[in-house]
Amino acid sequence: MSTRELVVLGTASQTPTRNRNHNAYLLRWDGAGLLFDPGEGTQRQMILAGVAATDVTRILISHFHGDHCLGVPGVVQRLSLDRVPHPVYAHFPASGAEYFARLRHASSYHETATVIAQPVHAPGVIAEGAFGRIEAHPLDHPVQAYGYRLVEPDGRRMLRDRLAALGVSGPRVGELLREGSIRVNGRTVTIEEVSEPRAGQRFAFVMDTRLCEGVHTLADGADMLVIESTFLDADARLAHEFGHLTAGQAARVARESGVRRLVLTHFSQRYPDATAFAAEARRHFDGDLVIAEDLIRVPVPPRRAAGGEWADGT
């Protein structure tokens, strides 16, 4: 079975603390490894979390404040040190292209890895592949910022009882998936007869922002939403002034958007006890809630399995 999980490399906003590194997150999505917002110290956090440089296939930067990008030099140089054989694509707001160029070449090193810069110039689809599509949508922060959304294409879920009834088993299941129809026992079996529509999974990443249309667009129907909750509601005025969300706001977005698993992160150092974020979020969101901690792994929720369906989502 494929691996789909979030590896949390850091959870602090603005400055690291004794217990929290600058934020950074690796999304493992089958064969892809999407590294989001690598702040200072990300290379070391990758080692502690068991993430290899070869796991990274894309780097996605929401904006160019230091806690979201100062880890780029170490990560990029590590790609070359470890001679990563595949190209690594880097997505970031186009207005920060000069910053990315400086970070990428912050010091002298022997460049062997292929890093392909792909600045985001406008909202919409920025990449497509076997993983599905990656979208970027604008956020509301003092500097240009984008959130990212990974959308898997809709597919078909094979139904065991119907397959058995029509005599389709083993390698012939794969053949049916590829071809759409096959001949079995003298009759044509179509994929529609033995399957039902299956919605693709969705992952959303929302960092520094005030509430805006982009937040809701990104979060809509997400199986997992990773979202900043820098402040608590008591400091909502500060949150708005500096372009951030509170835990309560993030939780309300999750509830209104039908999010299945909510991951709160990017906590201000002014709050020593993260349990307050959970208590505040629970007032608005009764779904699956994770208060992110450095180096934890959070699986993307499995597809729901019902009678006759294959639980692995085939």
Side-chain angles (χ1 to χ4, degrees):
M1 292 177 62
S2 59
T3 298
R4 294 184 178 181
E5 67 175 4
L6 181 76
V7 183
V8 179
L9 301 171
T11 56
S13 70
Q14 193 174 43
T15 64
T17 70
R18 290 181 180 271
N19 301 313
R20 296 185 182 278
N21 199 71
H22 263 175
N23 73 168
Y25 315 85
L26 181 88
L27 176 66
R28 297 186 188 274
W29 191 275
D30 303 341
L34 280 59
L35 179 62
F36 293 90
D37 281 9
E40 183 180 351
T42 294
Q43 182 184 181
R44 183 171 184 273
Q45 295 294 97
M46 288 170 62
I47 295 170
L48 294 175
V51 173
T54 52
D55 293 334
V56 179
T57 59
R58 294 180 186 271
I59 300 171
L60 300 98
I61 300 170
S62 64
H63 66 291
F64 284 97
H65 280 155
D67 53 330
H68 297 260
C69 66
L70 287 178
V72 168
V75 170
V76 168
Q77 293 188 29
R78 187 59 179 267
L79 297 176
S80 283
L81 180 65
D82 290 2
R83 298 184 179 276
V84 170
H86 54 259
V88 174
Y89 299 89
H91 309 278
F92 50 85
S95 63
E98 183 178 358
Y99 292 125
F100 183 78
R102 292 176 185 173
L103 291 165
R104 179 178 176 179
H105 299 291
S107 68
S108 175
Y109 69 100
H110 181 51
E111 187 173 12
T112 62
T114 301
V115 177
I116 302 173
Q118 295 189 331
V120 179
H121 292 276
V125 176
I126 61 171
E128 294 184 275
F131 50 79
R133 69 179 187 269
I134 301 173
E135 303 171 0
H137 295 280
L139 299 173
D140 182 8
H141 200 51
V143 299
Q144 187 182 37
Y146 280 98
Y148 298 101
R149 173 178 167 90
L150 191 157
V151 180
E152 178 187 33
D154 293 341
R156 307 289 303 183
R157 191 192 306 276
M158 308 302 285
L159 303 175
R160 285 183 181 274
D161 54 350
R162 296 184 192 174
L163 288 167
L166 294 175
V168 183
S169 61
R172 302 231 65 189
V173 176
E175 183 182 353
L176 179 57
L177 281 166
R178 291 190 301 273
E179 303 297 332
S181 66
I182 57 175
R183 295 284 295 179
V184 180
N185 298 327
R187 63 157 290 185
T188 298
V189 177
T190 67
I191 195 168
E192 289 77 14
E193 292 180 272
V194 295
S195 67
E196 64 183 16
R198 182 209 66 196
Q201 289 187 304
R202 301 175 182 182
F203 170 88
F205 182 80
V206 177
M207 279 297 118
D208 299 17
T209 184
R210 302 177 183 93
L211 285 176
C212 64
E213 181 180 351
V215 173
H216 292 276
T217 300
L218 291 158
D220 183 39
D223 293 277
M224 179 185 286
L225 168 64
V226 179
I227 187 168
E228 68 121 319
S229 58
T230 309
F231 291 94
L232 295 173
D233 280 346
D235 295 311
R237 182 186 59 80
L238 282 176
H240 187 269
E241 179 181 351
F242 293 108
H244 287 288
L245 297 174
T246 68
Q249 289 173 328
R252 288 192 292 273
V253 167
R255 182 192 66 211
E256 294 164 3
S257 302
V259 169
R260 294 181 60 200
R261 180 163 293 163
L262 171 62
V263 181
L264 297 183
T265 188
H266 195 268
F267 307 113
S268 169
Q269 66 271 23
R270 69 174 55 230
Y271 309 109
D273 183 6
T275 59
F277 291 90
E280 186 161 289
R282 275 295 177 219
R283 292 200 287 269
H284 308 283
F285 179 74
D286 61 4
D288 193 347
L289 174 65
V290 177
I291 304 301
E293 298 178 8
D294 287 23
L295 306 181
I296 67 169
R297 293 169 182 259
V298 185
V300 176
R303 295 189 181 92
R304 299 176 181 89
E309 298 176 354
W310 286 13
D312 64 2
T314 301

